[in-house]
Amino acid sequence: MSERSDFVGHFRDRVSEQGPKQALVFLADSGSGVTEQSYDYIELDRRARRVAVWLGERTEPGDRAMLLFLPGPEFMVGFLGCLYAGVVAVPAPMPDSNGRGITRLAGIARDADVRAVLSESAVEQAIDAWITASELTGTVAHAAVDTLPEGGEDAWAPVPLSGESVAFLQYTSGSTSDPKGVMVTHANLLHNEAEIHRAVGSTADTAVGSWLPQFHDMGLIGQLLHPLYLGSTSVFMSPLTFLKRPYLWLWALSEYKVPISVAPNFAFELAVRRITDEQLATLDLSHVKWILNGSEPINAATLDAFTERFAAAGLPRGAVFPCYGLAETTLFVTGSRGGRVHTDIDPKALEAGEVRRSSEPGARTLVSSGTAGGLEVRVVDPETHQVLAEGRTGEIWVRGGSVAAGYWKNPEKTAETFNAAAITEDGATAGYLRTGDIGALLDGQLYVTGRLKDMLIVNGRNLYPHDLELTARGVHRALHSGVGAAFVVEGKPEKLVVVHEVKASELDGSTLDDIAKAVRAELRAEYDVHLHELVLLPRGGVYRTTSGKVRRGTMRDKYVAGALEPLLVGAAR
């Protein structure tokens, strides 16, 4: 699409082409209706140059600037302003209303050694207070981008950039004490946007719409930057708007004729559960081409339920587009270019490390995350680094132009993670990213089966925590809308524990003890495992990352430390 080596040059070409076309459309739910705030390409470019001039007066190219914004278009003004100034953007989540996240935010600021903070007037005072509390006063400059004076943009001059210039740091969901900032270069960003473009067939007429967090890789690169890369339009809303009224997500796709959206697995479940028949009757989804689902692993029943439910609104049967990616590859790695592929496999073989097709009763359905395009994907034994045969499960390794430059200020972890050598009969080849994900390749399709660090080894068998969690969740309706975390506590023997949220209003006469007995019985029947303890927590009790993934390690640590406040602890019987 472009011969440019940096995203700024590429985007400014789109500005020249698209001019007054809408670039960003933000939808806010006022309670009495949906309001729209939009910027066209000319206005977005003007505001970004204004921010770049402010940054240029206070920072040097290569310095870092943290972005702290409420959901909305000002975030992208700040992000592009950083790129225009040659400053490395550091997107980060605002702390919640209870102050949770403040410590991690300060850790990110210190790790990135930020020199500036960009925000907006609605949160300016709160950000000033955070800067003071984090002892950053005097070391960082702070501006609300929506209050910068008009006309300042005229002083902007392009900053020399190359493909190797770092565009932004994407901090992964790690611990407070050990934040990891993935260094995404301009070349990485352009390469990955081109990968997405080829996979989904997007054009300048292809709007993208969703509600994902703008500071997260899927929200930033897939929901916001991809339309700007194309010269199309991003239609988006706050994650909180979606959680309160899931209908508005699909309403926006219907109302604005958006052909491409992206969402994690739980969004499909929530839409099926919460959108009423009356709301369904107002939707027209016949123009939707793809809704990308990047969950790992992808749940076949969820996709089938969503497709069947919204077929009545014209949603094409093959519209859900399973894919796979991670921050260390900028975002996208594989996608279901030829349509969604399901495979029934032998669950016992999976426990032994093999994806083997089966038509026998009890077979488990796996959904492929698709095929690779311009990236090389291998499945490798994580201990020996030997490339495994087709159908064998191992760690997923990736090589290619989308693989990021490494972790910020962490050369040892960068060398270990980003420059692994895969061994074949022909020798060793270096330069692979170790994803930490487990999967298998079968007929070119990638099946993601879990996380290496989350794998449960029980009585010598490999079990995947999400399987046990899904089974537990299906036992009673009081568990349906919550999430769980399954983990093993070391000992002789090891102890299997499940922590799960429960909705008390859905008990329907059952006691918590009844639920504990039922979960224990179901896990024994389906997996032949003994559950040492079921811990039932109130809603919100299971910790998740900003992208909605269960933080199993955190829950295990809290369980071992006795730091959970359960509604019930169901001991072994």
Side-chain angles (χ1 to χ4, degrees), residues 174-196:
S175 67
T176 299
S177 60
D178 185 30
K180 293 199 297 292
V182 177
M183 297 186 289
V184 179
T185 68
H186 284 261
N188 294 151
L189 186 53
L190 289 172
H191 186 277
N192 205 246
E193 295 293 6
E195 283 291 297
I196 299 171

Side-chain angles (χ1 to χ4, degrees), residues 293-308:
N293 181 334
S295 304
E296 312 117 29
I298 295 166
N299 188 296
T302 297
L303 302 194
D304 290 341
F306 181 85
T307 302
E308 292 169 11

Side-chain angles (χ1 to χ4, degrees), residues 111-130:
D111 185 73
D113 189 20
V114 297
R115 292 290 182 246
V117 175
L118 300 179
S119 68
E120 56 193 310
S121 55
V123 294
E124 188 173 13
Q125 291 184 348
I127 300 304
D128 280 336
W130 170 76

Side-chain angles (χ1 to χ4, degrees), residues 184-241:
V184 179
T185 68
H186 284 261
N188 294 151
L189 186 53
L190 289 172
H191 186 277
N192 205 246
E193 295 293 6
E195 283 291 297
I196 299 171
H197 158 64
R198 286 190 289 268
V200 303
S202 50
T203 70
D205 297 321
T206 307
V208 177
S210 195
W211 49 267
L212 297 167
Q214 57 202 10
F215 55 83
H216 185 260
D217 54 357
M218 191 183 294
L220 173 60
I221 296 155
Q223 169 184 274
L224 295 174
L225 286 177
H226 190 62
L228 301 185
Y229 169 86
L230 298 167
S232 66
T233 304
S234 176
V235 180
F236 64 111
M237 62 185 66
S238 165
L240 189 59
T241 295

Side-chain angles (χ1 to χ4, degrees), residues 547-571:
S547 58
K549 296 178 182 178
V550 174
R551 294 172 60 181
R552 297 183 181 94
T554 299
M555 297 310 297
R556 180 176 56 245
D557 292 345
K558 286 189 169 293
Y559 171 83
V560 171
L564 299 176
E565 297 182 5
L567 298 173
L568 173 82
V569 176

Side-chain angles (χ1 to χ4, degrees), residues 155-175:
W156 179 75
V159 174
L161 295 169
S162 70
E164 288 69 42
S165 301
V166 177
F168 65 98
L169 301 181
Q170 181 67 61
Y171 274 85
T172 59
S173 302
S175 67

Side-chain angles (χ1 to χ4, degrees), residues 82-104:
C82 287
L83 269 58
Y84 278 34
V87 169
V88 178
V90 184
M94 287 283 295
D96 66 20
S97 57
N98 295 320
R100 287 179 296 193
I102 287 179
T103 302
R104 181 172 185 270

